[in-house]
Amino acid sequence: MIEFKMPSLGSDMDEGTLNEWLVKPGDKVTRGQVVAIVETTKAAVEVECWQEGIVDELVVPVGETVQVGTTLATLTAPGEQAEEKPRPRPAAKAAAKPAAAPATPRPAAPPAPGAPPAAPGRRRWVSPAARRLATSLGVDIDAVSGTGPQGAVTINDVEHAAAAKPAAPKPVAQPGTKPTAADRAQQMRKSIAAAMSRSKREIPHYYLAEEIMLEKSLSWLTTRNAQRSIDERVLPAVLLLKAVGVAAQRFGEFNGFWREDGFEPANGVHVGVGISLRGGGLVAPAIHDVPEKKLDELMDDLTDLVARARSFSLRSSEMSDPTITVTNLGDQGVDAVFGVIYPPQVAIVGFGQPAERVCVIDGGIRVVTTVQATLAADHRASDGHRGALFLAAINELLQQPDLLEK
């Protein structure tokens, strides 16, 4: 029997609301098939199933909010027989017995000094810092599940509980009911705050910057786009994404995850794209296998991803597996952006606004278009020397844009 569980759609997600089932018991499910719609603070996510089988039981009903890791449904593996569900049996009638005379009540003996409380169980460990934080955030510390050693409640547990806590009591949503824009924005800000607080607390960031000349890339792209219709033209942002993807493939220590005190290199390069939402907040879903895609494919993927992100309709694979993130604030008119790493990733690349600047080139002064590229990286997985080489590789690729077309 295969258990299909609520996936984690990012480090800032603790729970999700099941909005819709797209399968029913008896249906055959294939790898990658979208089987459910889950509402998170950031989007209504199409959840894919990555096992094959026959749907045996839908465990969680529509409209219910459950924690990450909760079993949503069970599947019967190919060739496996479905388990027969036990039928409830009527309770056996107790045999008639003569009524016993009521016992004379006796006073309960007081507990011995220093004896443990009568209720079974052991003491829950809560760090003083976590207890203070819970008090300031209005979180019931007794209701927080501990993930520390021996179930200890940590600061991270309290922050996650605060992010999942509704701002105020409200009626239970009916199946299919979507949160209001204000509700979504409020919960999104809490989720972002929890994830970024964890990042700055746990990840030893280091930062590097490089000014990249874009003259060759922009000239090459202008010539290329002139030969195509408006619908087929490629934006400069796609060149930047492709350059980061190819460089991350060469420098694997920036493409992967830090989990359980160790670095896990990713099998592919799935670049998360920072997308600002109209109602506020942001998401960073992934474009998969960036180095292997041509520029036209990446342009189509980016256009589709932005449209679906802003309509709050993304897929679980896009939210759960970015291996490195790119944030581009060039359209906001800033020279540089230094990002905060999105755990469990280990790097984020930022691009500012391309602008004309005075530069010294071959002993002469010229006005050229440049962009500030930045890197925020995890010092546990890499060091500044390798980070500098990584940024230099991005620069080198953008000076040979025809190589990015392949």
Side-chain angles (χ1 to χ4, degrees), residues 164-342:
K165 178 185 174 185
K170 54 186 178 181
V172 178
Q174 296 299 317
T177 301
K178 294 184 178 180
T180 65
D183 290 339
R184 189 190 296 275
Q186 184 180 52
Q187 289 300 321
M188 187 179 296
R189 296 311 326 169
K190 289 184 177 180
S191 297
I192 292 172
M196 296 301 96
S197 295
R198 173 190 168 193
S199 175
K200 295 298 286 185
R201 185 177 66 250
E202 297 180 359
I203 299 176
H205 288 61
Y206 70 88
Y207 303 93
L208 300 172
E210 170 88 347
E211 186 171 31
I212 297 176
M213 287 190 290
L214 291 180
E215 292 289 291
K216 292 181 180 178
S217 288
L218 294 180
S219 176
W220 178 85
L221 195 58
T222 299
T223 301
R224 181 187 186 280
N225 284 340
Q227 304 168 4
R228 290 167 169 77
S229 66
I230 294 178
D231 294 339
E232 296 175 326
R233 293 177 183 175
V234 169
L235 295 175
V238 173
L239 279 179
L240 301 179
L241 285 175
K242 182 68 178 286
V244 171
V246 174
Q249 192 175 50
R250 297 178 183 174
F251 292 81
E253 63 263 54
F254 300 97
N255 185 64
F257 314 98
W258 188 269
R259 293 192 177 111
E260 298 181 0
D261 297 326
F263 176 68
E264 296 179 8
N267 294 325
V269 180
H270 311 315
V271 179
V273 182
I275 301 172
S276 60
L277 304 178
R278 295 189 180 94
L282 73 149
V283 292
I287 297 178
H288 294 104
D289 302 314
V290 168
E292 284 73 38
K293 291 184 175 178
K294 295 185 178 297
L295 295 180
D296 289 332
E297 291 180 85
L298 288 177
M299 184 67 210
D300 290 341
D301 287 350
L302 180 62
T303 302
D304 174 63
L305 195 66
V306 171
R308 288 190 293 107
R310 290 178 173 166
S311 63
F312 301 102
S313 177
L314 293 166
R315 301 187 185 102
S316 58
S317 57
E318 295 165 341
M319 296 294 289
S320 62
D321 62 1
T323 58
I324 185 172
T325 295
V326 170
T327 179
N328 189 341
L329 290 185
D331 58 348
Q332 304 299 316
V334 297
D335 288 335
V337 53
F338 291 86
V340 180
I341 301 170
Y342 191 79

Side-chain angles (χ1 to χ4, degrees), residues 10 24 48 270 288 317 343 366 368:
K24 61 184 183 299
E48 300 138 304
H270 311 315
H288 294 104
S317 57
R366 286 179 52 194
V368 295

